[in-house]
Amino acid sequence: MTNPSASPSRSERFEAEALVHLGPLYRTALRLTGNDADAQDLVQEAVLRAFRFFDSFEPGTNCRAWLFRILMNTFVNEYRKRVRGPHQVDLDETTMSTLESRADQAIVSLPATPEEVVFAGMLDGDLKEGLWALPAEFRAAVLLCDVEEFSYKEIAEMTQVPVGTVMSRIHRGRRALREFLLRRAKPVRALSAGA
Amino acid sequence: MDCREIQEQITAFVDRELPPEESARLSEHLHACSSCRAAEERERDVKRLVRSRCADLTLPHGFAERIRASLPGDDAARPVPAARPEPRTGRSSRIAGGGAPRAYSGWLAAAAIGFLAIAGTLVWSRSGVEPVLAEALVDEHARFAKGLDLGIRESDPKSAAAWLSEAAGSSVPVPDLRPKGARMVGAQMCRLLTQGHGAVVYDVEGHPVTLFIPPSGMIEPSADGTSSEGWRSVRVKGRNAVAWKDARGGICWAVSDLPHARMREIVTVAAADR
């Protein structure tokens, strides 16, 4: 038996090492599930799972990455199956190539204007919609990379796909997102051009 | 360098994921190629946009407190934890079954027949999350016992297994307990803390008994890593619960107001039948 006064208890360690990452976990869960209630459920489920397997976490390694791995695992293996049922149309090769070709067209057809300016006027709701329009795998890869700043290798481990697939998802995800946002922004751009 | 070929490399370049020498080569190309440079800028613009607009860290009011309250304490062995699970609401505690099953397949039959070959080892993990789970299970059982919230009313184990498996997205074996006088009443998929279980409600001489069965897809082989022997029995909120590990390695639970020994006897029958 360990003496609780001599070393921090399991709960104390979990609080210090894991619960400090609730914010990032929640914001990612929110964009994966698309709503607050499901995001809370997903995070709670992942955190309880993490607590349960906290002994398998190696102290000194990246706890945040470990938690996100559990979050992604919970999302893919349990949440999606249960919330949307087994008949959800998942991302397949056709969807991927369609997305890619649409993104390719967008890049060819849309003029290379200072998009930062266009994007600056973008509403959060537009971005939210754009992200939501992406297949979950693409959305997750983009968020884990751009917002959470995980490396491709870490994302590959979390989502259990090769690094090359991670890169491809990020690449295609960003292009599809850009296409969506530029379409959404077109009227604004026309308006500002006319002004 | 072929401009078309390096599109994905631009992504890795922007994310600083290229090895130094490749990065240098690409950088050189970008310097000379305005079209690829524009592609790089587009990529950076989207990345910046996502980063700046999605970086909010605000948690919903009371969420962190609810998470903390739902964690079990350090004493894994106590039967009734002081920390109670998050208050259960209709929204978060349960989801409806994922639609009606369409067809019954042979492999499900095999899974159902193979149910409950008692492993005889392990049931209780070191982490102590199970006492909390037991409490939640008892709450679920109490609702089912009142006839509330059942996804289907069904007396045939095979149909129930097919329905649950469809809803869970992976096989949920349902034992036929009729030889022990347990009549199936119905089933539901329920979401319980860390786990989603198929719940099957039986009637044993007027006593409702709920079996909680994890779908195969959520069983993590050897993840628990404990080695205690046989059954685990607890009494929680005035109900009896027993847990055991089935042939697949999944931890199953039964809850009722019947004595522990009687419950063990009822659910063991399926193993004997194999």
Side-chain angles (χ1 to χ4, degrees):
Chain A
M1 288 290 282
T2 54
N3 179 356
S5 63
S7 59
S9 70
R10 178 194 172 84
S11 294
E12 284 164 347
R13 282 194 299 120
F14 192 74
E15 171 82 31
E17 294 182 47
L19 291 186
V20 291
H21 301 299
L22 269 186
L25 288 170
Y26 174 77
R27 72 179 168 197
T28 300
L30 186 60
R31 290 182 172 94
L32 287 175
T33 63
N35 70 80
D36 171 59
D38 285 342
Q40 289 196 36
D41 282 356
L42 175 59
V43 172
Q44 178 164 16
E45 207 161 329
V47 168
L48 279 161
R49 191 170 263 257
F51 187 81
R52 189 178 175 197
F53 297 119
F54 195 45
D55 291 341
S56 71
F57 168 69
E58 281 179 48
T61 61
N62 188 341
C63 189
R64 189 163 155 271
W66 180 73
L67 288 166
F68 268 85
R69 191 156 69 232
I70 296 172
L71 183 83
M72 291 310 297
N73 188 274
T74 308
F75 175 67
V76 171
N77 291 340
E78 296 183 32
Y79 172 82
R80 292 186 76 191
K81 278 179 191 164
R82 275 181 284 127
V83 172
R84 299 188 190 178
H87 298 301
Q88 158 159 6
V89 178
D90 255 324
L91 183 65
D92 56 19
E93 285 307 313
T94 319
T95 322
M96 282 174 77
S97 57
T98 308
L99 256 180
E100 189 175 28
S101 86
R102 276 170 50 203
D104 278 341
Q105 283 166 14
I107 284 170
V108 171
S109 62
L110 291 165
T113 48
E115 285 154 23
E116 207 177 355
V117 177
V118 178
F119 288 165
M122 195 68 65
L123 298 172
D124 285 352
D126 290 334
L127 181 66
K128 192 178 161 194
E129 270 183 59
L131 281 169
W132 190 242
L134 297 179
E137 291 84 350
F138 287 27
R139 188 163 66 245
V142 168
L143 291 168
L144 291 172
C145 176
D146 293 352
V147 183
E148 305 306 334
E149 299 186 306
F150 286 117
S151 70
Y152 287 5
K153 187 166 172 284
E154 286 171 321
I155 298 170
E157 282 166 7
M158 280 168 209
T159 52
Q160 293 172 15
V161 294
V163 168
T165 306
V166 170
M167 182 168 76
S168 172
R169 285 178 179 176
I170 293 170
H171 175 70
R172 292 169 177 179
R174 285 196 193 128
R175 290 169 85 179
L177 182 59
R178 174 177 171 274
E179 181 203 11
F180 180 95
L181 293 175
L182 287 179
R183 278 195 187 147
R184 185 57 62 92
K186 265 180 180 172
V188 178
R189 197 153 49 169
L191 207 66
S192 16
Chain B
M1 286 178 110
D2 182 328
C3 294
R4 285 200 74 83
E5 278 176 17
I6 65 167
Q7 289 296 313
E8 284 194 4
Q9 273 197 302
I10 289 178
T11 298
F13 178 76
V14 165
D15 292 331
R16 297 173 194 269
E17 289 276 348
L18 285 184
E21 61 278 15
E22 275 185 61
S23 183
R25 241 161 35 99
L26 193 76
S27 187
E28 207 173 294
H29 175 84
L30 291 176
H31 193 68
C33 175
S34 60
S35 147
C36 284
R37 208 162 54 240
E40 183 212 349
E41 269 312 302
R42 288 194 290 267
E43 189 98 18
R44 285 193 196 281
D45 285 343
V46 178
K47 184 178 170 75
R48 264 196 294 266
L49 179 77
V50 172
R51 166 136 191 78
S52 63
R53 298 293 181 91
C54 297
D56 183 26
L57 278 173
T58 312
L59 285 174
H61 180 69
F63 179 53
E65 290 70 31
R66 282 198 298 280
I67 290 269
R68 286 189 182 91
S70 72
L71 295 175
D74 288 307
D75 182 1
R78 62 191 167 158
V80 182
R84 292 178 49 79
E86 179 176 10
R88 305 172 62 70
T89 65
R91 169 188 66 71
S92 65
S93 65
R94 182 179 304 104
I95 59 164
R102 281 198 280 270
Y104 179 71
S105 61
W107 64 271
L108 286 173
I113 292 163
F115 184 80
L116 292 195
I118 304 298
T121 54
L122 157 61
V123 168
W124 214 243
S125 117
R126 289 163 297 179
S127 71
V129 80
E130 282 77 359
V132 178
L133 181 63
E135 238 186 40
L137 291 168
V138 166
D139 287 343
E140 292 296 313
H141 164 77
R143 297 177 68 85
F144 295 146
K146 287 179 197 155
L148 299 170
D149 295 339
L150 285 175
I152 51 161
R153 293 190 176 273
E154 178 63 66
S155 58
D156 175 27
K158 291 177 181 178
S159 303
W163 189 87
L164 287 170
S165 300
E166 173 117 357
S170 71
S171 163
V172 179
V174 175
D176 184 354
L177 301 182
R178 281 174 288 199
K180 279 289 178 178
R183 181 177 59 83
M184 183 182 294
V185 178
Q188 176 62 294
M189 269 310 291
C190 43
R191 186 172 183 182
L192 296 154
L193 300 175
T194 62
Q195 309 192 315
H197 282 69
V200 186
V201 184
Y202 299 85
D203 179 284
V204 181
E205 297 146 12
H207 300 273
V209 177
T210 306
L211 246 61
F212 295 92
I213 307 159
S216 294
M218 61 170 277
I219 296 172
E220 298 179 24
S222 72
D224 287 299
T226 54
S227 57
S228 57
E229 291 289 315
W231 301 86
R232 189 77 193 195
S233 305
V234 286
R235 184 163 178 84
V236 180
K237 293 175 139 184
R239 294 282 191 354
N240 291 323
V242 294
W244 67 96
K245 204 169 193 185
D246 73 8
R248 305 163 304 153
I251 295 174
C252 301
W253 290 79
V255 181
S256 78
D257 57 5
L258 292 169
H260 289 126
R262 174 79 173 116
M263 268 199 286
R264 287 202 295 270
E265 185 211 354
I266 291 166
V267 295
T268 307
V269 71
D273 281 351
R274 290 177 78 234

